[in-house]
Amino acid sequence: MGRLDKYNVELKDLKEVQARYQWTVDQDFFAIVEGEEVQKGKVDVTLTVTKESALYHLNFEIAGTVIVTCDRCLDDMPLEISNSGELKVRLGEDFADDGDVIIVPEDKGIVNVSWYIYEFIALAIPMKHVHAPGKCNKGMMEKLDEYEASENEDGELSGGATDPRWDDLKNIIENDND
């Protein structure tokens, strides 16, 4: 039995018009899936499968906490997420994913939703993730403040420590302009 088999959804033998599945995914799941965006967390997933004629609607609801890297201080931080999404699946001869409808082989009639769960989790993470004000790593914030540049009255950047090599290059440019 594969490590992700518990995320198999049998469509072919679905007896009811609607079926419900629930999972809690955590570090073990993220380690197996090997996605880049999320490696840690605990997320509850509810999947409702509704059969309409030859089309299956898979509705996902996810909510939980993932651990991401703070863009400012680079420490791990918990991030609450919530998302929902839908997949449409039908049975056919060969597997195909054209974006709108996923086709799974009718002889098997099974779709593994583990990667789709991961994608819905990853899509719930905002582009920018930073700690709340005052929660970033103090040592890193002090280091960043050392190198923070500010504009002077002439609109030029100044302040903070600079790399002396850049100062030397700036002098070369200024001397060429004279």
Side-chain angles (χ1 to χ4, degrees), residues 104-163:
V104 296
E106 188 168 4
D107 59 335
K108 293 184 181 173
I110 296 172
V111 61
N112 185 290
V113 295
S114 57
W115 183 251
Y116 303 110
I117 291 170
Y118 179 83
E119 285 184 336
F120 285 123
I121 291 170
L123 287 171
I125 298 172
M127 292 292 287
K128 182 178 180 181
H129 23 85
V130 295
H131 283 103
K135 299 290 183 187
C136 277
N137 178 311
K138 291 191 187 333
M140 178 63 84
M141 295 313 297
E142 289 170 4
K143 199 67 164 167
L144 286 173
D145 287 344
E146 282 180 38
Y147 292 96
E148 185 176 57
S150 59
E151 286 187 18
N152 62 20
E153 293 174 7
D154 298 327
E156 294 179 357
L157 293 178
S158 63
T162 60
D163 185 332

Side-chain angles (χ1 to χ4, degrees), residues 51-62:
K51 181 179 179 182
E52 290 181 6
S53 179
L55 193 64
Y56 298 87
H57 296 270
L58 282 65
N59 292 297
F60 294 83
E61 295 289 330
I62 64 163

Side-chain angles (χ1 to χ4, degrees), residues 10-11 14-15 17 25 39 42 46 53 62 70 75 79 91 95-96 102 116 127 163 166 169-170 172 175-176:
E10 279 199 43
L11 301 174
L14 189 66
K15 302 290 186 231
V17 175
V25 297
Q39 282 87 37
K42 186 174 184 180
T46 301
S53 179
I62 64 163
C70 175
D75 277 0
L79 182 66
L91 302 176
F95 179 84
I102 298 166
Y116 303 110
M127 292 292 287
D163 185 332
W166 290 113
L169 287 172
K170 186 176 176 184
I172 291 171
N175 288 338
D176 280 351

